[in-house]
Amino acid sequence: MSMVEEKFKKLGVENAPGQELLQKGVKLDLKGEKILGEKIDFSHGDVDAHKPLPNSLELFIEGFNKGGIQAYTEYKGNKEIREYIAGKLSEYIKMNIPADNLIITPGTQGALFLATGSLITRGTKVSIVEPDYFANRKLVEFFEGEIVPIELDYFNVNEKKAGLNLKQLEEAFKSGVELFLFSNPNNPTGVIYSDEEITEIARLVNKYNVTVIADELYSRQIFDNREFYHLITKNINQDKLITIIGPSKTESLSGFRLGIAYGSPTIIKRMEKLQAITTLRTAGYNQAVLKSWFSEPDGFMKDRIEKHQAIRDNLIEKFKTIDGIKIRKTEAGSYIFPTLPELEVNLGDFVKILRIYANVIVTPGTEFGKSFINSIRLNFSQDEKKAAEGVDRILEMIRRYKK
Amino acid sequence: MSMVEEKFKKLGVENAPGQELLQKGVKLDLKGEKILGEKIDFSHGDVDAHKPLPNSLELFIEGFNKGGIQAYTEYKGNKEIREYIAGKLSEYIKMNIPADNLIITPGTQGALFLATGSLITRGTKVSIVEPDYFANRKLVEFFEGEIVPIELDYFNVNEKKAGLNLKQLEEAFKSGVELFLFSNPNNPTGVIYSDEEITEIARLVNKYNVTVIADELYSRQIFDNREFYHLITKNINQDKLITIIGPSKTESLSGFRLGIAYGSPTIIKRMEKLQAITTLRTAGYNQAVLKSWFSEPDGFMKDRIEKHQAIRDNLIEKFKTIDGIKIRKTEAGSYIFPTLPELEVNLGDFVKILRIYANVIVTPGTEFGKSFINSIRLNFSQDEKKAAEGVDRILEMIRRYKK
């Protein structure tokens, strides 16, 4: 097998959210009858139930009508729009971000790709958290870095912490890790890192001269009035940090593919060079839509958070009705990540059973770390009623297959 | 310098089209007065002078209104849209292309990135043409391939050929080149490969088991009723060929960032995996715009070609008025690539002089190959009058600086 073939063998997409149709037909041992019900796809949010930011389409049309000047922006994005976003983000994190230290990318996936591609080459030691966003591992592998995993013990920790194993992190940094990549709020668990944890991460990366990519995609959708701590606001070497955020989730703008990375000017410059050969730029007209972000109508964010908090509470109550299901309450974002009791089929088959016989799509825990063979992830940014019915069907299947 | 730093040092963007603002201020030796005139940017087409396909915005709005189903497509693109495009391309090249062997990408740049990233790893020997699209070299370097350049002797050849040095190509293949990447029509010269050349390329890649990426971005805008030969229609191993095309240029849809790659199912699958970690997918709503492509109103393409042919003829006539300028007539696409007479300043400075003192932006020939130190590239998809005035200013500057 050639080197390229080997590399791509690792890069599976069949179990990635939204890719379920690629799963090959298999014979599954169905217990009982199919469970009928309206299809629900928990692999991503439902932008029909929670609509894109008002004004987003109008801004796109305005961008289109501007013509060439909006079609052909600088590779890192239209300057005026970067200035708008830099101003809004500065207010948001309460710290000044210059527009030149910011790049507009095709989604936060684009930002992650450009950031990792700017920092990882073969043999670069990279720490990623387990569990964490499924693409993190794939990105490190694609760029031929070496993964040094860090455990997030999100169950066995008091609720004020995320549960990052900071000792393990320091050991990893001591052993030569050059890059630490993590999401906060964590995807898939929905936990937030505590002030103490974030402060300690900052201290350790300074001490060991490590670079950090902090993926804060979900940081605007915080429940129960919790506090959120941005790593960039801590005492941290500002040239070693890239923060990522975007309007795809909380603001439902995923169909426009828009993301932002900001921080270290050294790294942003590399990301711009890399963007020049990946997609040239984020689609020009789409960039104009960013002006709807952080300018939501009064009450939009409050309403959004309340609605999601209510869905969360309802679904978590349901999961708790079955013995042996472990679940930690989501603190931010739209995910729940329950651990299921031991089942008579393996996780891969169970996920297919849910899809084929219960019309419910979930993402298997193994996408977020090899050891999560009993977990499933649900994006609960859904229609409330459909989500509740979907979870009822999941629970019924768990009852049938529970050992 | 670390390995990553070294890699990014090579990836310059300052001279890339549209990035001129990044050029540092320098003291230039201006001869005579500034030449006043309306700014013209020959580094890319003017989508205000040659408008996006009619109906493109309406299709976008329709896509947006479809909601979630259009926002979250399969990574390789919405199936129905892939089927539409596969059908249209099948008619276009007169050969059946299955929708599953096709991927929708963020621009043809995205397609090039995914294709090269799916085929090149460190040490892979890759042949690229000189001159050819400026990103080709950068892509090979980013993936740590080894470049084996092939000469395109576009001046010293009869007009029916592009001028590819086929002996050199065979030598390269013999020496272990695994991938051949070329644009046809050629960017920046606008020449078309002859039937004979394309047939010989097919024969050689079969003989030496080489994979090919054929960038046919400009293949719809053909002048003087010339014939165009698609490599895929030749006797060639179909699993070793990827063809790239898109609606950014002739159809002025660049602001939507849409491209297509089709061909080898093996490579398309890899490209899909890579897209999953670069941008997830091409922006969902944007994909809907592809339905305006190959469905132009009657006469649209004919009118488009006639207008561009007239601009081409006018500008080429102008360049021919100065002794020592060599220029080959563009056969397809929107570029002219004149070789200038020897000047008293180097090319980099001359390009800056044009920008600062004549309000004209052109792309230096060195972006397309190190040896093109006397060439400039102009995209003539411009307002006819502005383009003519811009070329007059270029000519005046050439007269001033000619040795």
Side-chain angles (χ1 to χ4, degrees), chain B residues 39-307:
Chain B
K39 182 184 164 186
I40 181 148
D41 186 348
F42 286 114
S43 73
H44 58 75
D46 180 351
V47 297
D48 300 328
H50 305 275
K51 300 274 186 204
L53 284 187
N55 215 23
S56 52
L57 180 61
E58 288 69 20
L59 286 164
F60 181 93
I61 296 170
E62 210 176 292
F64 177 86
N65 288 331
K66 278 194 183 165
I69 201 170
Q70 190 67 50
Y72 287 91
T73 71
E74 266 184 79
Y75 293 158
K76 67 181 181 183
N78 175 281
K79 195 172 158 65
E80 191 207 324
I81 295 168
R82 277 189 289 113
E83 278 164 357
Y84 167 83
I85 291 292
K88 290 293 184 179
L89 286 175
S90 300
E91 284 172 37
Y92 172 60
I93 64 167
K94 301 184 185 71
M95 193 176 144
N96 183 50
I97 303 163
D100 274 345
N101 298 355
L102 181 152
I103 183 169
I104 301 173
T105 60
T108 50
Q109 182 67 54
L112 272 174
F113 183 82
L114 298 178
T116 50
S118 296
L119 292 163
I120 306 172
T121 185
R122 65 177 174 283
T124 307
K125 283 189 173 181
V126 184
S127 273
I128 60 173
V129 174
E130 286 187 355
D132 208 326
Y133 179 48
F134 65 92
N136 293 2
R137 180 182 52 77
K138 294 178 189 182
L139 286 163
V140 180
E141 284 176 352
F142 180 75
F143 292 114
E144 302 178 54
E146 191 189 310
I147 292 174
V148 182
I150 310 296
E151 177 194 38
L152 183 77
D153 196 4
Y154 55 103
F155 280 128
N156 302 309
V157 73
N158 88 53
E159 246 190 42
K160 285 180 185 152
K161 290 187 180 180
L164 190 69
N165 190 328
L166 290 161
K167 274 196 187 152
Q168 219 181 25
L169 189 69
E170 179 154 19
E171 285 308 315
F173 288 2
K174 261 189 206 163
S175 80
V177 160
E178 293 174 58
L179 175 66
F180 177 47
L181 164 56
F182 77 116
S183 63
N184 178 28
N186 174 265
N187 174 354
T189 63
V191 302
I192 294 178
Y193 286 77
S194 66
D195 193 9
E196 197 185 333
E197 285 170 309
I198 290 296
T199 306
E200 179 65 3
I201 290 171
R203 190 186 71 82
L204 291 175
V205 300
N206 286 350
K207 179 168 176 191
Y208 296 98
N209 201 27
V210 169
T211 302
V212 186
I213 302 171
D215 173 359
E216 300 186 349
L217 174 55
Y218 280 101
S219 61
R220 293 188 80 200
Q221 189 165 299
I222 307 280
F223 301 126
D224 309 312
N225 295 312
R226 280 179 166 266
E227 285 290 320
F228 184 85
Y229 305 92
H230 300 280
L231 183 56
I232 195 173
T233 62
K234 297 294 173 184
N235 175 19
I236 186 169
N237 181 346
Q238 296 288 326
D239 206 39
K240 303 287 256 182
L241 173 63
I242 286 291
T243 304
I244 289 171
I245 188 167
S248 288
K249 304 290 183 181
T250 307
E251 303 82 355
S252 297
L253 298 185
S254 181
F256 292 100
R257 299 272 75 216
L258 292 165
I260 295 291
Y262 64 92
S264 160
T266 312
I267 303 169
I268 294 288
K269 263 181 210 136
R270 284 191 206 158
M271 290 173 72
E272 180 185 18
K273 288 179 173 192
L274 185 49
Q275 179 136 289
I277 60 166
T278 47
T279 63
L280 282 182
R281 61 179 68 78
T282 302
Y285 307 141
N286 300 41
Q287 291 179 33
V289 175
L290 284 169
K291 289 211 171 167
S292 62
W293 194 27
F294 286 99
S295 286
E296 295 82 13
D298 280 352
F300 178 93
M301 287 298 293
K302 191 169 167 278
D303 177 64
R304 177 105 197 177
I305 288 168
E306 278 172 8
K307 279 201 174 113

Side-chain angles (χ1 to χ4, degrees), chain A residues 55-73:
Chain A
N55 216 24
S56 51
L57 180 61
E58 289 68 20
L59 285 163
F60 181 92
I61 295 170
E62 209 178 293
F64 177 86
N65 288 330
K66 277 193 183 166
I69 200 169
Q70 190 67 49
Y72 287 92
T73 72

Side-chain angles (χ1 to χ4, degrees), chain A residues 302-372:
Chain A
K302 191 169 167 281
D303 176 66
R304 177 106 197 177
I305 289 168
E306 279 172 7
K307 279 198 177 114
H308 281 77
Q309 197 166 308
I311 300 172
R312 172 199 70 172
D313 290 344
N314 185 26
L315 301 189
I316 287 182
E317 275 317 303
K318 285 180 181 288
F319 275 105
K320 284 190 172 162
T321 59
I322 292 189
D323 264 5
I325 292 186
K326 277 168 76 181
I327 195 162
R328 179 168 162 180
K329 203 198 258 183
T330 311
E331 295 159 8
S334 301
Y335 296 121
I336 46 178
F337 193 61
T339 306
L340 310 185
E342 241 188 297
L343 303 175
E344 289 172 14
V345 289
N346 70 35
L347 183 65
D349 283 352
F350 187 67
V351 164
K352 282 176 202 145
I353 286 168
L354 289 179
R355 179 168 63 84
I356 300 170
Y357 300 117
N359 227 357
V360 173
I361 294 171
V362 302
T363 306
T366 43
E367 284 286 299
F368 310 95
K370 277 181 201 141
S371 64
F372 299 95

